[in-house]
Amino acid sequence: MSDEEREERELDLTSPEVVTKYKSAAEIVNSYNSEPYITVRTHFVDMGCQIDGFIAVVAHTHVLQQGPVTGRAADVIAAANTAAEVAMRLVRPGKNVVLSVSAPETRVDDAEFEENEVYAIDIVTSTGDGKPKLLDEKQTTIYKRAVDKNYHLKMKASRFIYSEINQKFPIMPFTARALEEKRARLGLVECLNHDLLEPYPVLHEKPGDLVAHIKFTVLLMPNGSDRITSHSLQELQPTKTVDDPEIKAWLSLGTKTKKKGGGKKKKGKKADEAANEEAKDENSQG
């Protein structure tokens, strides 16, 4: 094994130290996520923590009200929760990349999930047409350095700000508030105009439409998918139910992998049906 291969292996989930760092980061965001003054802000807050570059993230939509959530608000949140549960069963070794909508703008290279990988599952549901738009560029305050781009900046303020970004946030997203305020206003514009920064725009649905957001971190361990970040479920009373047979079949499956050469047999009709459905799916995928 080469030094490069050895170093890469030491940085994935085969290293107990790496798993510990991911789970420690997850414990931090989960503990904050349990506090009522942090868990809300509808669709505007993502929370993340990194330990030595190993990142755990979480986000969810919470309705500010007493009692259970009803009507369309309950429906859109329940849809996001259901999608999250299905995603947990789709994101596992051997499966291909998952796209909710296949279109030219969402096309990605064919890829297969592999053991010891880490993913942030980001799900957004809407009562609208699902095509949010940027209304005001000035609302964008979060950026990330485009590591593959280069340009010789002309303005002194731009060079100062870009140097500060390189030092403080070489690969991680950052807020403009973290930069030297007076120079940031001028410097960010030139950096953006020459694609040195990637903006995280604030997108809006049509007035009256509702949006729900769920994000969580998953470790693809040898024994199955391990969701390490989560949130407390708000009581929902949706008007819709899951009727699609394929979705119901996925929801009936577990997220852990049965160990070979032992273990208790599944009992009951539902367990047998789930096993049959999983076998059918594996055959169709392979």
Side-chain angles (χ1 to χ4, degrees), residues 77-151:
I77 296 174
N81 287 333
T82 299
E85 290 300 322
V86 173
M88 274 292 296
R89 291 151 175 81
L90 288 172
V91 180
R92 57 180 182 171
K95 297 293 180 184
N96 287 339
V97 64
V98 178
L99 285 177
S100 58
V101 180
S102 182
E105 63 270 20
T106 59
R107 185 178 178 182
V108 296
D109 294 334
D110 189 35
E112 188 175 283
F113 299 114
E114 296 183 8
E115 203 171 277
N116 298 315
E117 291 182 335
V118 181
Y119 288 92
I121 309 301
D122 200 355
I123 294 170
V124 180
T125 54
S126 169
T127 60
D129 58 11
K131 297 179 180 179
K133 295 179 174 59
L134 175 66
L135 299 184
D136 184 359
E137 290 184 358
K138 293 181 181 179
Q139 288 185 314
T140 302
T141 60
I142 306 297
Y143 306 92
K144 187 171 92 170
R145 191 172 73 92
V147 295
D148 59 337
K149 301 291 184 179
N150 290 290
Y151 177 78

Side-chain angles (χ1 to χ4, degrees), residues 75 78-83 85-86 238-252:
D75 288 340
N81 287 333
T82 299
E85 290 300 322
V86 173
T239 65
K240 311 290 184 182
T241 58
V242 177
D243 297 320
D244 187 283
E246 185 178 359
I247 294 177
K248 292 172 75 172
W250 278 112
L251 292 173
S252 70

Side-chain angles (χ1 to χ4, degrees), residues 50-70:
Q50 63 92 10
I51 297 177
D52 294 337
F54 301 103
I55 307 168
V57 294
V58 70
H60 75 280
T61 297
H62 188 104
V63 180
L64 285 171
Q65 68 174 54
Q66 295 290 331
V69 181
T70 60

